Amino acid sequence: MTPILPDTIRPHDLDFSGLLCKRNRMRAATIKDVAHRAGVSTATVSRVLNNSGYFDPETARAVNEAVKTLDYRRNVHWKRLSSNSSETICFLLGNRDALNSMQVKMLMAAERELTDAGFDLVFAPFRYSPNTAPERLQLPRLIAQQGTVDGVILAGLHYENFLDALSNINLPYVVLGNTYIGHQDKIKTDALVYDDITGAYEATKYLLRLGHRRIAFVGDTNLPWFGRRYEGYRRALGENNIEEIRATEDWGVGYIEYGKLAASELLRDANPPTAVFAANDEIAGGVWKTLANRGIRIPEEISLMGFGDREDFSILEPSLTTVTVFQEKIGAELAGMLLRKLQNPEVPLDSRTFPCQIVERNSCAAPRSQKKLVLA
Amino acid sequence: MTPILPDTIRPHDLDFSGLLCKRNRMRAATIKDVAHRAGVSTATVSRVLNNSGYFDPETARAVNEAVKTLDYRRNVHWKRLSSNSSETICFLLGNRDALNSMQVKMLMAAERELTDAGFDLVFAPFRYSPNTAPERLQLPRLIAQQGTVDGVILAGLHYENFLDALSNINLPYVVLGNTYIGHQDKIKTDALVYDDITGAYEATKYLLRLGHRRIAFVGDTNLPWFGRRYEGYRRALGENNIEEIRATEDWGVGYIEYGKLAASELLRDANPPTAVFAANDEIAGGVWKTLANRGIRIPEEISLMGFGDREDFSILEPSLTTVTVFQEKIGAELAGMLLRKLQNPEVPLDSRTFPCQIVERNSCAAPRSQKKLVLA
DNA sequence: AAAAAATATGTAAATGTTTTCACACGCTTG
DNA sequence: CAAGCGTGTGAAAACATTTACATATTTTTT
């Protein structure tokens, strides 16, 4: 018995198994193939598949049979065309060359959430440099091209430069607000932030509780996200009338180098700090390097606290005590917010704050010979 | 003056501003509108927009002018439907929860390459566990669904389980072959490998050249990719008639923990090795932790060599000497191979080998009191 | 000067699905 | 028995875009 085939198929369009091919490549079954196999017209197949209009139950049976044997699946592009959605979300990264383990965690969590909801995740980094004129900034092609994505998650640095453009082309988006705070009033959109002020406050209190009085903050506070952590640090010190310790603000170098330089400077002091609170884990890593080079033991001689809980820094020995921002939760929640927004565009602006939490590991301990303070 | 409009437009298709509408709703400009306005055919517009085939620069000017005034943006889904391609490549990750900095580098490099060629990059992790029955393994929806992606890059672990499925649905793919070697003969596809046998051989020779005679290899050689590095290690030792040193093979733990346990075992020896060659950087990190805990100085007391050049391990102090596999080049080349394959499906199978290179940093030095060997 | 190649453009087919329209058949209603 | 209605079906249009092919013009080569 020869299989039923469309007229347009010629012998060389068939492969050994009788399935349709084209130029020797297997072709996916189309509605036409199904129609032929079921001995009906494409219109009827469409009616059966969409359960619209009239059709004989017996015909439906034949159609479904054909669908099954041919493994027919509706063409994705047609589906997207008729539903006017691409079922795709873009994760916009802050910079082409950077994707650290924190972003990776958010990305993976978001991916899971989106996949479960039937969406795909594309990602696009953009190039940004501070001396690019605003009008020359370009949205990634993928986003600028209408219809390619249904929404955007922004979780990197400098995305504020793209917010207007996104609004202009009317693309729903959600942002991780932390890299943008200080201009928070300008964010007229759904944003998620983690409360790093309180996180830094708690971290500093933790060091105070261990008995430290000379706690240095390392990080350029001109960066808003570090400025906030500095604020928490300062509040904790202020409540206990303890003087702050800072190194030079801005060296114009990367985080790790920054930490190295700052640590060197702090160690030049006749009375160096007994604990260092780094504005992020990368800076903590730099501090670490300098301490290791000088043979200063952590935490026996100096305690070190990071911020961010970047998984890749778990390699340090002893392991780094830090503050986690729950990257997975953030990633999943960003995706969730966007999905809700897509489902119901009229929903009011949504802005939520996630707590941070100290992760006690082994880089912090009581200072050697210093009695504990009575804390406020 | 009335604007030039397609013939098929009737009065009620126009809105107040003379723009086209339909059922009282504003209609977006189509390629036909542009063609009419520019006084050319839709084919020409398409050619100009896609920069394909021949066209007069003057015509192009007119078309672009029309595009601008009509604010025409082409419908992505129609384009994809017509050209029967999604302009999208999938980067298939080895596991839902893992995306290490090596993969990130390849991913970013591939992204750049693909974006430049007009493709988008989606990524999909799959869940894999050794006790999943082969017939229950599922391709990510994104890939299984016809037409969603044009090709796949496989660069993680365990992808061999998906190769048949990809062939069945006739989706072009390229693989990073290193995680699959041992079954290399089974790969009937375009594969790229980095030559880690030679890389490991060179790394071991480097340690020998420094004067080490007691060099331990740490890593489970049952894993094919470690087995190859072991092979290189052994060849270098064999050429110089030096005995190998191994720790227990399989602890059934993660890489870092593995490194820690192996180092502890090696240190129990009355005559411990003067150098350790770890099968990858993560294992090296574990070894590091144990050495650091015991207060053993690197490289003064023990030299440590990694493999892979994972950027996140640059945080170790002193920095880790390792073997780089040129992740960016690999990522870009994987993308390039796939693009070439898409352009010309008939091109013969392409399998190329990339060299590795030692990255001299600070974790290796001459052993303390041992005279240099004369090497073969 | 003829032939060949390169350039520029239009026509029409193809893409996969839904939808509109027309038509047939059989049944009910006046 | 004619008109009308409900049911089932197919042909063809419609959608926006690309692309294969044809044709016309210009330029280059012989």
Side-chain angles (χ1 to χ4, degrees), chain A residues 61-360:
Chain A
R61 210 197 46 71
V63 168
N64 288 322
E65 168 74 23
V67 164
K68 210 165 185 180
T69 48
L70 294 177
D71 190 31
Y72 166 74
R73 269 163 291 176
R74 204 160 149 237
N75 181 294
V76 171
H77 302 307
W78 189 263
K79 191 162 123 199
R80 292 181 174 180
L81 187 58
S82 38
S83 67
N84 198 27
S85 82
S86 59
E87 311 165 297
T88 305
I89 298 296
C90 176
F91 199 101
L92 191 59
L93 302 175
N95 192 297
R96 177 148 235 158
D97 300 309
L99 176 60
N100 64 40
S101 67
M102 227 172 116
Q103 288 176 297
V104 166
K105 280 201 167 183
M106 295 193 299
L107 190 65
M108 299 303 275
E111 187 276 338
R112 187 188 290 249
E113 202 75 12
L114 292 171
T115 301
D116 289 351
F119 283 76
D120 297 332
L121 182 64
V122 304
F123 83 92
F126 56 79
R127 261 184 264 247
Y128 169 83
S129 75
N131 39 26
T132 309
E135 65 276 9
R136 298 219 46 223
L137 278 177
Q138 282 254 312
L139 277 174
R141 181 183 46 75
L142 186 158
I143 293 179
Q145 200 173 55
Q146 214 176 34
T148 314
V149 299
D150 292 341
V152 183
I153 296 175
L154 299 112
L157 300 177
H158 306 304
Y159 63 71
E160 60 273 17
N161 301 290
F162 295 85
L163 257 34
D164 284 344
L166 285 174
S167 297
N168 283 342
I169 61 175
N170 223 324
L171 206 51
Y173 59 88
V174 298
V175 308
L176 176 61
N178 283 73
T179 62
Y180 194 40
I181 282 188
H183 317 258
Q184 215 170 0
D185 51 312
K186 289 192 204 156
I187 305 189
K188 293 268 175 292
T189 183
D190 302 62
L192 186 160
V193 299
Y194 49 83
D195 183 5
D196 47 359
I197 299 181
T198 305
Y201 171 77
E202 295 292 348
T204 311
K205 286 242 296 199
Y206 174 84
L207 291 171
L208 289 169
R209 234 179 290 124
L210 283 174
H212 294 277
R213 314 185 95 180
R214 298 192 49 73
I215 304 171
F217 181 90
V218 177
D220 181 355
T221 56
N222 295 313
L223 301 172
W225 48 98
F226 288 168
R228 274 171 288 128
R229 292 167 203 177
Y230 173 58
E231 193 185 322
Y233 157 82
R234 211 155 59 143
R235 195 162 77 215
L237 292 192
E239 282 178 4
N240 294 279
N241 293 313
I242 293 173
E243 220 179 327
E244 59 176 270
I245 305 174
R246 307 291 322 280
T248 302
E249 277 286 296
D250 179 13
W251 269 293
V253 293
Y255 288 150
I256 290 185
E257 195 58 26
Y258 186 104
K260 284 169 75 173
L261 292 171
S264 300
E265 182 174 322
L266 290 171
L267 290 174
R268 272 196 289 277
D269 196 309
N271 185 14
T274 63
V276 173
F277 178 27
N280 73 6
D281 283 356
E282 243 179 296
I283 293 175
V287 172
W288 190 285
K289 273 179 175 277
T290 291
L291 298 186
N293 266 331
R294 307 281 178 96
I296 296 169
R297 277 169 303 137
I298 300 170
E300 290 82 359
E301 296 175 75
I302 291 188
S303 288
L304 181 57
M305 167 78 78
F307 195 104
D309 192 25
R310 271 186 51 176
E311 195 177 37
D312 43 357
F313 285 88
S314 64
I315 193 62
L316 294 171
E317 183 66 32
S319 51
L320 185 66
T321 295
T322 186
V323 180
T324 187
V325 299
F326 298 108
Q327 296 97 320
E328 285 97 344
K329 279 192 194 167
I330 288 177
E333 182 56 23
L334 281 169
M337 282 169 72
L338 187 54
L339 288 173
R340 285 197 294 279
K341 197 169 177 177
L342 290 176
Q343 274 191 333
N344 185 358
E346 314 306 336
V347 94
L349 291 187
D350 189 6
S351 180
R352 52 187 67 194
T353 303
F354 270 44
C356 302
Q357 196 175 66
I358 293 175
V359 186
E360 277 191 67

Side-chain angles (χ1 to χ4, degrees), chain B residues 103-135:
Chain B
Q103 288 176 297
V104 166
K105 279 202 167 180
M106 295 193 299
L107 190 66
M108 299 302 276
E111 186 277 338
R112 185 189 291 247
E113 203 74 11
L114 292 171
T115 301
D116 289 351
F119 283 76
D120 297 331
L121 182 64
V122 305
F123 81 92
F126 55 80
R127 262 184 264 246
Y128 169 82
S129 76
N131 38 26
T132 308
E135 65 277 9

Side-chain angles (χ1 to χ4, degrees), chain B residues 302-320:
Chain B
I302 291 188
S303 287
L304 182 57
M305 166 79 76
F307 195 104
D309 192 25
R310 271 186 51 175
E311 195 176 38
D312 42 359
F313 285 87
S314 63
I315 193 62
L316 295 171
E317 185 64 33
S319 50
L320 184 66

Side-chain angles (χ1 to χ4, degrees), chain B residues 206-277:
Chain B
Y206 173 84
L207 291 171
L208 289 169
R209 233 179 292 125
L210 283 174
H212 294 277
R213 314 184 95 181
R214 299 192 49 74
I215 303 172
F217 180 90
V218 177
D220 180 355
T221 56
N222 295 312
L223 301 172
W225 48 98
F226 288 169
R228 274 172 287 128
R229 291 166 205 178
Y230 173 58
E231 191 185 322
Y233 157 82
R234 212 156 57 143
R235 195 164 76 214
L237 293 191
E239 284 177 4
N240 293 280
N241 293 312
I242 293 173
E243 220 179 327
E244 59 177 272
I245 305 175
R246 307 291 323 280
T248 301
E249 277 285 296
D250 181 11
W251 269 293
V253 295
Y255 289 149
I256 290 184
E257 194 59 24
Y258 186 103
K260 284 168 75 173
L261 291 172
S264 300
E265 181 174 321
L266 291 171
L267 290 174
R268 272 197 289 278
D269 195 307
N271 185 14
T274 63
V276 173
F277 177 27

